Amino acid sequence: MNATAQPPIRHDWTRDEILALFDLPFSDLMFQAQTVHRAHFDPNEVQVSTLCSIKTGACPEDCKYCPQSARYDTGLERERLMAVEKVLEEARAAKASGATRFCMGAAWRSPKNRDLNYVTDMVKGVKSLGLETCMTLGMLDEGQARTLAEAGLDYYNHNLDTSPEYYGEVITTRTYQDRLETLDNVRKAGMKVCCGGIVGMGEEKTDRAGLLQQLATMPDHPESVPINMLVKVAGTPFAEEEDLDPFEFIRTIAVARILMPQSHVRLSAGREEMNDQMQAMAFLAGANSIFYGEKLLTTANPEANKDMQLFKRLGIQPEQREVHIDEAEQDEVELAGALEEARNDRFFYNAAK
């Protein structure tokens, strides 16, 4: 890796420049993406995360792709907020399977302040296991973002979904600006940003370029950029969308890598529908992060052992990291653990109310 040989990181990409990348001959685009990738990362390492749904269903939003929306009949059963100890059990299993980051998602428009006591205990407990922490809880105000940061949350996920122009075709219950303000609050609080979008929702190529332009022109690029392929769930408005050309998906990965050289680009939802060859091509295009395990919130994901078999065939190793916890933080975590059993009933409540 030799980042000094590369041009400076840009934050001024135009839509036309990005569309020109999309229009390159496929082999030329892949070569550029692989060159950028090798300058900033080990090309044979992939960061591995596990995603856990800590509160499922009954979301008031109308995102047309989402089975967790209360507006659509998808057969999804509502589940109340997980007990903290149950979350920690899931985190221990994720670490044992090779994950280095544990991501927790709750189907809320935004968390109520009463919820933050529970989720901050989850953050502290997961960090005590030596895992990075990430949460996606909906919109955050400045105070909520600061509370999560003070608890030690490493990453906050809040996707833009698509371009500003196409956004109204996907969701009407919150604005694009709402999403940008949450991301700004996360940055101000000192957390890292996980932000990407979904392709295959009927958008045009210019919308895929527009999404990446929004991400690549941020003052600081997101540290993690998930690129999701639409998972078509019966009962949602996008259930009958036409499949996106797989090469267009790979092009989106490659362009994201070129625009945001130092970000982890995550091959995210939709991997269940991808064969091994398509996933290998995504890694070649610059994807270097995956969600690992049997579920992504409520939709299927390739089983962990299958991923490791593919890694072995491709000569890929999970990216390793160390988490250092200072003595005061460790004491706090241990005290919280000692009180866990007595408080457990209070942690398990109906968050859908």
Side-chain angles (χ1 to χ4, degrees):
M1 294 180 290
N2 183 13
T4 60
Q6 289 293 306
I9 305 299
R10 289 182 56 185
H11 300 266
D12 60 351
W13 291 94
T14 68
R15 185 77 62 93
D16 286 344
E17 286 178 308
I18 297 171
L19 285 169
L21 290 173
F22 270 97
D23 288 339
L24 284 172
F26 188 75
S27 61
D28 292 349
L29 176 60
M30 293 290 280
F31 179 78
Q32 283 198 35
Q34 181 64 198
T35 300
V36 171
H37 187 53
R38 287 175 176 270
H40 296 274
F41 291 98
D42 184 329
N44 298 312
E45 285 191 351
V46 171
Q47 189 275 325
V48 175
S49 298
T50 292
L51 180 58
C52 175
S53 180
I54 61 173
K55 184 265 171 185
T56 302
C59 181
E61 304 278 23
D62 68 354
C63 307
K64 292 182 181 178
Y65 54 81
C66 187
Q68 300 210 62
S69 172
R71 298 164 186 256
Y72 313 130
D73 182 9
T74 63
L76 183 72
E77 292 188 11
R78 302 178 181 185
E79 297 178 5
R80 51 189 178 178
L81 188 67
M82 266 192 188
V84 174
E85 182 53 39
K86 176 62 176 175
V87 173
L88 298 185
E89 287 177 11
E90 296 284 342
R92 293 184 192 102
K95 183 177 181 180
S97 295
T100 58
R101 186 180 307 161
F102 192 71
C103 306
M104 294 159 275
W108 288 319
R109 174 177 170 82
S110 59
K112 297 180 174 63
N113 288 332
R114 73 185 186 209
D115 302 317
L116 290 181
N117 290 332
Y118 301 93
V119 297
T120 54
D121 281 337
M122 293 175 188
V123 170
K124 293 172 184 176
V126 172
K127 285 183 71 72
S128 74
L129 302 175
L131 290 164
E132 284 186 313
T133 53
C134 179
M135 282 193 160
T136 179
L137 311 172
M139 295 182 290
L140 298 180
D141 61 31
E142 287 189 30
Q144 291 171 327
R146 189 164 52 249
T147 296
L148 290 170
E150 289 171 352
L153 186 63
D154 298 300
Y155 286 80
Y156 194 78
N157 167 260
H158 200 64
N159 289 334
L160 293 179
D161 286 353
T162 188
S163 68
E165 296 83 0
Y166 194 67
Y167 184 79
E169 300 298 320
V170 179
I171 179 174
T172 65
T173 49
R174 78 174 77 167
T175 68
Y176 213 80
Q177 186 59 38
D178 288 335
R179 292 179 182 263
L180 294 174
E181 287 176 3
T182 288
L183 293 170
D184 186 52
N185 291 335
V186 169
R187 280 291 186 208
K188 286 178 181 175
M191 289 180 286
K192 296 176 182 178
V193 168
C194 175
C195 183
I198 306 170
V199 298
M201 298 189 294
E203 78 285 346
E204 301 293 335
K205 177 171 61 179
T206 186
D207 295 307
R208 293 189 283 279
L211 166 66
L212 296 183
Q213 182 186 25
Q214 289 291 314
L215 299 171
T217 55
M218 290 179 176
D220 296 293
H221 293 161
E223 285 81 1
S224 182
V225 180
I227 305 296
N228 299 273
M229 178 79 86
L230 175 67
V231 177
K232 293 181 280 189
V233 179
T236 63
F238 283 163
E240 303 301 324
E241 281 294 331
E242 292 186 12
D243 290 341
L244 182 69
D245 182 341
F247 288 112
E248 282 302 305
F249 180 81
I250 299 300
R251 284 181 180 275
T252 306
I253 293 281
V255 174
R257 168 51 63 219
I258 294 168
L259 301 183
M260 295 168 279
Q262 295 181 337
S263 301
H264 278 81
V265 177
R266 177 175 297 140
L267 182 59
S268 198
R271 283 205 303 130
E272 178 72 11
E273 306 301 320
M274 300 177 193
N275 61 25
D276 289 349
Q277 292 83 353
M278 185 175 175
Q279 292 188 62
M281 192 169 288
F283 296 135
L284 190 64
N288 64 339
S289 178
I290 63 167
F291 275 128
Y292 178 76
E294 296 180 4
K295 271 193 175 183
L296 295 187
L297 292 181
T298 60
T299 56
N301 197 46
E303 294 180 3
N305 61 349
K306 184 178 178 182
D307 287 328
M308 290 299 103
Q309 290 170 7
L310 179 60
F311 277 17
K312 184 176 180 180
R313 291 166 64 197
L314 298 177
I316 289 174
Q317 299 292 327
E319 183 180 279
Q320 300 299 313
R321 66 177 300 277
E322 293 183 7
V323 178
H324 300 285
I325 302 175
D326 62 37
E327 187 174 343
E329 185 177 358
Q330 183 64 46
D331 288 344
E332 182 179 351
V333 168
E334 290 176 355
L335 177 60
L339 295 173
E340 180 91 21
E341 185 173 351
R343 300 165 60 194
N344 199 52
D345 287 344
R346 182 171 64 85
F347 288 141
F348 203 70
Y349 77 108
N350 192 343
K353 291 182 178 179

